[in-house]
Amino acid sequence: MPGPDLTDHSPYHPSPSSRLTNASNVILIDNYDSFTWNVYQYLVLEGAKVTVYRNDQVTLAELIKEKPTQLVVSPGPGHPDTDAGVSCEAIRYFSGKIPVLGVCMGEQCIFSVFGGHVDVTGDILHGKTSPLRHDSRGVYIGLPQDLPVTRYHSLAGTHATLPDCLEVSSWIATGPDGGKGIIMGVRHKTLLVEGVQFHPESILTADGRTMLRNFLKMQGGTWAENEDHQKATEQKPLTKGQEMPKANGTSHEKTRNEDKVSILDRIYKHRRHAVTAQKLLPSQRPQDFQAVYDLDLSPAQISFPERLRLSPFPLSLMAEIKRASPSKGAIAMNMCAPAQARRYALAGASVISVLTEPEWFKGSIEDLRSVRQALEGLTNRPAILRKEFIFDEYQILEARLTGADTVLLIVKMLDQSSLKRLYQYSQSLGMEPLVEVNTSDEMEIAIELGAQVIGVNNRNLTSFEVDLDTTSRLMGKVPTGTIVCALSGISGPDDVKAYQENGVSGVLVGEALMRAENITSFVSSLLGGSNISTADSLQATTMVKICGTRTPDAAKAAIDAGADMIGIILVEGRKRCVSLDAGIAISRVVRATKKPQRDTRSLVKYHDECISGDFFEHTARLIRESDRALLVGVFQHQPLSYILAQQRLLHLDMVQLHGSEPLEWASLIPVPVIRRFGVMDAGLSKRGYHCLPLLDSAKGGSGEITKLASAGNTLKYDAGLRLLLAGGLHAENVKDVLQEAKTSGLNVVAVDVSSGVEKEGIQDIEKIRQFIHHAKS
């Protein structure tokens, strides 16, 4: 054991570790830096026997004679090429023979030895802490992202001169996408050589001793040799009086599993602390959540088991939204959770799993809330799973209030009493939980619990290693009728095939989906189905609304010519406003006149209960598939009571709001609502309210053309948006305008014309026919 004079004053690892047999002769080269003592202290506290040599008071030949088990090169002032003494020469010799670690200048020496260039960074940092991003390998195994590390440097290796044999292992994130900024660590791709630009030995660095412990556990001269050692040996503490071997160690301190248990324990400990603190906040207290729930303000929910049974593929897909993980580090830090959720839904996902753990997985409860909002209005929307470390009813109620349909309960992390209590509480809120197991014993617990949906985690939560056969091995225990899903480690079709043969109902896929360039194609390839078809591929004709209709004869002529909607103005004072008698007469004609022909190209088997459809595509389809034209009443700045009365009196099929009426009125009007928007108006693409947004440049009937280029720049990123276009249209320009809209990235499903089919202020039957012909051709 280390001597009593060595004390770790940091808040992270106060207790010394047992002696390590494989770290019996660590050589630490001192580059004349006060931090060398701290490095020495941490190495000894982690169980190593360490000898320190000044960089100019020892030769390489003398170091070779010492037969070190590991080489550590300390921080120091100056430049690695001129001020590091024997350091670079020692790194060059011992690389490939024993584990080598460089700290600060030591890392710069590694960068330089293998051909890189060390230069100024533009910042002079002295005792500054920065959040560190890393690749979760080497010295970073088991560490969270964005942990604070202490920096004392003005030099660093440059990306442009990074040698081919080295890889960046850690960095300071830059930009909104968390890109790799200043290099904070490098690792040789083959040789067991690693360097860190920051100071793990600083009291301000989180998990510095863990990093050094990870290094001391390494054995051999290459990463391949180290992996063989890790698999074949187990380090044990020295018994009293036992001699430490001089040669490179043949065993290591603990099994990897022991460290990774502590990772999971740390996540749980952190979540318990965070939840406890949150419960104290006004508006976030348990009684506050309960009061909101008692008012029935939680979003509408669907059955998780039933939605899992519905899939366009042989197996149901549980698609996961995951920015990062403890094992993989950063995955997609710039991902927009609600946009990703929509892509998953339209690609055929039955369930969307949202990770809400903030430290290691970089999720939040706000991700869950926004995902639920993004799926509002979808036909057959996926169920939403809160993927979290659940240990308290509070978290389950929070999930329900935020829009979850189910939560995850991990058998390994809960005693049976807690598991049963949380399971039953979730059911009381209408949510059947996903019960996660990994072993045969855990499967028996889940079955005894009566779980309807069991997820078999192929990743062992103790070792964090993936075994894709785990699910198949446990299938024999499952009662008939229980849904079983395979979780973790699934990346391609070969991973899925065996599950289907063994009766697995679904698979959860996270990282592979997050990295997929085309989600729809990837999902179809993964699950053995064809791409989900959309109406875009059907090339249905553009629908036409003839507005400003004032006579029954004009209405019938428009319908006979192929109009899909007949609009009547019900705004007093407008020149096209119809009287009550005229409105009733037009209504009778519209309801009695069938369309001359229906657009059968859209009448495909799309209303499949297994598939999610976008709200606007759904509403546009309902309009198109009507066997008669629909009567639209146009209102502007009028009371809701007046609109409702006119709708009943005139038997309006649809209502068009052309003023500043509240968006929520669409929920209070008993027929579909068209609402006028300008390009920059808020709420245009909001689902669940207006059935179609009318994109118009002015107040209506003005003949002013909508600026499509600017509209395209604003709206083209919403692939599910469907538009009714108005403004300056007539028979001579409608085809060109529709082509321009398409080029601008706008999906126009209908056009609205008023003045463009008039002659001297009166609707002209021939102009109506020509306009409809050109719009639909």
Side-chain angles (χ1 to χ4, degrees):
M1 295 289 289
D5 56 323
L6 287 181
T7 303
D8 183 357
H9 295 284
S10 78
Y12 303 108
H13 301 280
S15 302
S17 299
S18 302
R19 286 287 177 86
L20 298 177
T21 58
N22 69 296
S24 59
N25 189 29
V26 177
I27 295 298
L28 172 59
I29 296 177
D30 175 17
N31 285 303
Y32 286 86
D33 193 274
S34 60
F35 269 111
T36 302
W37 164 253
N38 302 68
V39 176
Y40 169 83
Q41 181 186 39
Y42 271 21
L43 291 171
V44 173
L45 285 169
E46 284 303 324
K49 183 179 179 182
V50 183
T51 304
V52 182
Y53 292 96
R54 288 282 173 86
N55 67 16
D56 59 353
Q57 295 180 13
V58 67
T59 66
L60 177 61
E62 290 170 336
L63 291 176
I64 294 171
K65 288 181 181 179
E66 289 296 317
K67 298 182 180 179
T69 54
Q70 288 95 354
L71 175 69
V72 179
V73 181
S74 84
H79 195 281
D81 293 345
T82 57
D83 302 295
V86 76
S87 298
C88 291
E89 194 178 4
I91 291 171
R92 190 175 291 109
Y93 177 82
F94 286 110
S95 293
K97 298 177 177 67
I98 59 173
V100 176
L101 175 68
V103 178
C104 199
M105 178 190 271
E107 184 264 358
Q108 297 170 10
C109 289
I110 292 171
F111 202 91
S112 179
V113 162
F114 289 102
H117 179 62
V118 175
D119 205 346
V120 294
T121 63
D123 294 319
I124 299 176
L125 301 170
H126 190 83
K128 174 182 172 60
T129 60
S130 301
L132 184 76
R133 295 279 173 86
H134 56 79
D135 61 5
S136 298
R137 298 189 292 123
V139 298
Y140 308 109
I141 288 177
L143 301 184
Q145 297 295 326
D146 295 325
L147 74 164
V149 297
T150 311
R151 299 166 62 190
Y152 289 82
H153 68 102
S154 59
L155 304 175
T158 60
H159 285 281
T161 67
L162 179 71
D164 290 340
C165 63
L166 298 183
E167 59 187 356
V168 176
S169 57
S170 63
W171 60 94
I172 300 301
T174 182
D177 61 348
K180 293 182 178 180
I182 295 176
I183 296 173
M184 284 289 104
V186 293
R187 181 185 303 115
H188 199 284
K189 295 178 180 178
T190 305
L191 308 181
L192 211 166
V193 177
E194 187 149 11
V196 295
Q197 176 62 70
F198 56 91
H199 287 256
E201 75 282 3
S202 168
I203 194 172
L204 298 179
T205 296
D207 298 300
R209 274 185 58 181
T210 303
M211 297 177 201
L212 294 179
R213 180 194 312 146
N214 285 338
F215 169 71
L216 291 175
K217 289 178 0 182
M218 299 173 187
Q219 299 180 71
T222 67
W223 294 108
E225 290 175 3
N226 178 63
E227 185 175 356
D228 290 341
H229 279 292
Q230 298 286 344
K231 291 178 179 179
T233 64
E234 177 180 358
Q235 176 73 24
K236 298 179 180 179
L238 289 175
T239 60
K240 188 175 181 179
Q242 182 177 353
E243 293 295 326
M244 294 196 302
K246 189 80 170 178
N248 195 15
T250 59
S251 59
H252 58 111
E253 177 190 7
K254 303 176 184 177
T255 64
R256 291 153 69 190
N257 291 356
E258 289 173 331
D259 276 343
K260 292 180 178 178
V261 168
S262 68
I263 299 165
L264 204 57
D265 287 343
R266 286 172 60 198
I267 295 174
Y268 251 73
K269 182 179 179 181
H270 186 276
R271 294 306 294 143
R272 286 185 179 278
H273 176 77
V275 170
T276 299
Q278 182 180 324
K279 284 182 176 182
L280 301 176
L281 298 174
S283 82
Q284 302 289 302
R285 299 167 301 181
Q287 61 266 38
D288 298 322
F289 281 3
Q290 188 62 48
V292 175
Y293 183 77
D294 290 342
L295 289 172
D296 204 13
L297 296 181
S298 53
Q301 64 188 147
I302 61 176
S303 168
F304 169 52
E306 292 305 314
R307 189 61 182 89
L308 257 180
R309 291 188 173 98
L310 302 177
S311 175
F313 307 107
L315 292 179
S316 295
L317 173 65
M318 302 173 71
E320 187 155 87
I321 291 174
K322 177 164 63 175
R323 291 190 179 88
S325 75
S327 60
K328 297 293 185 178
I331 295 172
M333 298 299 289
N334 62 334
M335 173 270 304
C336 173
Q340 189 79 350
R342 279 186 184 168
R343 287 190 283 267
Y344 284 168
L346 298 177
S350 299
V351 177
I352 295 177
S353 168
V354 184
L355 276 154
T356 60
E357 193 285 320
E359 298 300 323
W360 282 265
F361 293 91
K362 303 304 176 186
S364 71
I365 197 68
E366 289 306 315
D367 282 340
L368 183 65
R369 192 189 314 278
S370 63
V371 164
R372 177 64 182 86
Q373 292 170 347
L375 302 184
E376 191 70 40
L378 289 189
T379 61
N380 309 311
R381 72 164 176 85
I384 299 174
L385 163 69
R386 182 183 188 183
K387 189 87 172 290
E388 175 64 278
F389 297 89
I390 301 288
F391 49 82
D392 193 314
E393 288 89 343
Y394 177 86
Q395 297 167 287
I396 298 174
L397 181 56
E398 181 184 42
R400 178 77 283 278
L401 292 174
T402 313
D405 301 294
T406 183
V407 296
L408 176 70
L409 298 179
I410 304 173
V411 173
K412 184 180 294 296
M413 306 309 301
L414 299 166
D415 60 69
Q416 291 192 44
S417 175
S418 298
L419 176 64
K420 183 176 181 179
R421 187 186 76 249
L422 295 174
Y423 179 81
Q424 292 177 343
Y425 179 73
S426 181
Q427 285 185 315
S428 75
L429 300 184
M431 298 191 296
E432 177 65 29
L434 171 64
V435 179
E436 179 184 306
V437 304
N438 176 255
T439 67
S440 178
D441 289 342
E442 292 172 8
M443 177 64 83
E444 291 179 0
I445 292 172
I447 293 170
E448 182 181 348
L449 185 67
Q452 297 181 39
V453 185
I454 298 175
V456 181
N457 197 339
N458 295 311
R459 187 185 303 279
N460 185 296
L461 292 183
T462 300
S463 68
F464 274 68
E465 294 179 352
V466 174
D467 179 0
L468 294 178
D469 292 331
T470 304
T471 302
S472 300
R473 285 196 300 269
L474 299 182
M475 283 300 296
K477 293 178 173 288
V478 179
T480 303
T482 302
I483 299 173
V484 176
C485 300
L487 317 178
S488 294
I490 299 164
S491 60
D494 291 339
D495 300 332
V496 174
K497 189 179 301 181
Y499 295 143
Q500 185 178 351
E501 294 171 353
N502 290 327
V504 173
S505 299
V507 292
L508 184 143
V509 184
E511 181 186 353
L513 271 175
M514 294 300 300
R515 299 187 189 279
E517 293 185 7
N518 186 313
I519 290 174
T520 300
S521 297
F522 177 82
V523 170
S524 298
S525 172
L526 179 74
L527 299 178
S530 57
N531 283 1
I532 303 297
S533 63
T534 67
D536 292 345
S537 63
L538 301 172
Q539 298 298 313
T541 58
T542 304
M543 294 183 287
V544 176
K545 173 174 171 274
I546 302 297
C547 202
T549 303
R550 280 164 279 177
T551 67
D553 290 342
K556 187 171 190 314
I559 296 171
D560 290 341
D564 300 278
M565 291 167 279
I566 302 297
I568 55 175
I569 307 299
L570 298 172
V571 184
E572 292 185 7
R574 298 287 296 273
K575 66 180 181 179
R576 298 182 180 88
C577 180
V578 298
S579 66
L580 178 59
D581 290 341
I584 292 173
I586 292 170
S587 176
R588 287 172 180 163
V589 168
V590 171
R591 286 183 285 121
T593 307
K594 299 291 184 182
K595 286 182 180 178
Q597 61 181 21
R598 298 172 72 186
D599 187 358
T600 57
R601 281 175 288 184
S602 70
L603 302 182
V604 295
K605 187 182 178 183
Y606 190 92
H607 300 284
D608 190 326
E609 62 182 359
C610 300
I611 301 173
S612 295
D614 194 278
F615 176 76
F616 291 124
E617 184 59 52
H618 168 71
T619 53
R621 185 176 296 104
L622 293 181
I623 298 170
R624 180 178 283 115
E625 292 179 358
S626 174
D627 62 355
R628 65 172 178 83
L630 301 178
L631 182 62
V632 183
V634 180
F635 300 88
Q636 185 179 45
H637 307 309
Q638 289 157 292
L640 178 62
S641 58
Y642 176 78
I643 296 172
L644 295 176
Q646 292 293 98
Q647 187 276 321
R648 289 192 297 269
L649 186 63
L650 298 174
H651 301 285
L652 299 176
D653 298 303
M654 304 178 74
V655 164
Q656 179 174 317
L657 302 178
H658 216 80
S660 57
E661 297 82 7
L663 209 64
E664 293 90 340
W665 277 15
S667 301
L668 304 174
I669 297 172
V671 293
V673 171
I674 295 170
R675 196 181 191 285
R676 185 262 169 190
F677 290 91
V679 173
M680 302 303 294
D681 288 349
L684 184 151
S685 60
K686 192 171 183 64
R687 271 70 166 174
Y689 292 95
H690 42 279
C691 69
L692 280 179
L694 169 64
L695 189 61
D696 196 355
S697 60
K699 63 182 179 179
S702 66
E704 184 178 333
I705 296 175
T706 301
K707 297 178 181 179
L708 294 178
S710 61
N713 290 335
T714 305
L715 305 174
K716 65 182 178 181
Y717 299 105
D718 188 344
L721 185 61
R722 303 292 183 266
L723 296 171
L724 171 59
L725 182 64
L729 299 176
H730 49 76
E732 288 73 28
N733 74 355
V734 65
K735 288 180 69 173
D736 292 338
V737 170
L738 286 172
Q739 182 58 48
E740 182 185 353
K742 183 177 180 180
T743 303
S744 299
L746 301 175
N747 198 325
V748 175
V749 295
V751 289
D752 187 345
V753 63
S754 181
S755 61
V757 292
E758 293 178 348
K759 185 176 183 180
E760 297 179 358
I762 304 297
Q763 283 186 327
D764 183 276
I765 303 301
E766 184 56 33
K767 282 192 172 186
I768 290 174
R769 292 192 184 104
Q770 290 179 7
F771 182 87
I772 294 174
H773 170 75
H774 287 296
K776 289 180 175 287
S777 62

